[in-house]
Each structure stands twice: as structure tokens, then as C-alpha cells.
Amino acid sequence: GTIIEAYPLDTWLYHSCAGKRDKTTIGIELIHKDGDFLEAQYNSLFYLIFEYLPSLCPNIDSIYSHDYRYKLYSNLTKNCPSGFFDWSRLKKENTKNFLIYHT
């Protein structure tokens, strides 16, 4: 459940095969090998996207899985965040009414 900022928020990274479209996104990676995600990971993720980031980036209005954007822009997939990620939990915790896109 530890949150690490690998790069400053104003750094552009090509993280979802969306090219220049990634300039308007924030990449979040959940370190995970196999099986169910940990409760601490979900808690940290929900804090990060529904409490912490909106105060720094008030224009956030959508959440996309890596696979959604990967497939949309390159017609590839990378199984991220994996079939073990519980999208229904994210939707239930969506206190900001973000649009959520995933495959």
C-alpha cells in the first residue's frame, strides 16, 4: 500500500502507448505479481485518485486502464492491471464521479 512518486506530476511520460495523448494523463502502477490485490493497495489507490490527486490536478475527470488505452491506440494489450483487479470496487468508491474506462 506504499505510494511512491516516481516522477514529478509535471513530467511527461509515454506510459500507455497513446503518444501525445499521454500528456494529459497520470500513470499509476500497482506492483502486483499474481492473485488478488491487497486491501492496502486498494486503500492507497482510492486515496490517491479520489483525495490526493484531485487537489493537485483539478481537471481530472476520467480513469482509464492501461489496457483500454493500449488497445485503443496500438491495438495491443498488456494485461494491466490484470484480471485480478476488482473494477466494481473502484466504481463503488468513485466519489468524484469520474468516467471509468477499462477492458
Side-chain angles (χ1 to χ4, degrees):
T2 302
I3 297 172
I4 299 170
E5 184 179 324
Y7 297 92
L9 289 174
D10 61 356
T11 302
W12 175 55
L13 299 171
Y14 179 75
H15 65 91
S16 75
C17 286
K20 292 180 182 178
R21 294 172 198 90
D22 278 340
K23 287 185 176 186
T24 60
T25 66
I26 297 170
I28 297 173
E29 189 69 37
L30 296 173
I31 304 301
H32 180 259
K33 290 187 180 186
D34 201 11
D36 293 335
F37 285 84
L38 301 174
E39 189 67 25
Q41 288 177 294
Y42 283 112
N43 290 339
S44 293
L45 177 66
F46 299 153
Y47 165 76
L48 185 65
I49 62 177
F50 298 125
E51 295 180 42
Y52 182 73
L53 287 174
S55 65
L56 298 174
C57 309
N59 294 329
I60 293 173
D61 64 1
S62 303
I63 297 170
Y64 296 89
S65 72
H66 273 129
D67 260 5
Y68 181 89
R69 290 176 66 83
Y70 217 73
K71 185 159 182 61
L72 182 65
Y73 297 111
S74 70
N75 206 30
L76 301 170
T77 61
K78 61 188 246 178
N79 193 31
C80 185
S82 91
F84 294 103
F85 186 78
D86 187 350
W87 288 98
S88 65
R89 286 192 65 179
L90 179 67
K91 290 175 183 177
K92 183 179 175 184
E93 295 290 329
N94 187 4
T95 57
K96 300 293 184 185
N97 294 316
F98 293 143
L99 298 174
I100 298 176
Y101 302 90
H102 64 92
T103 56

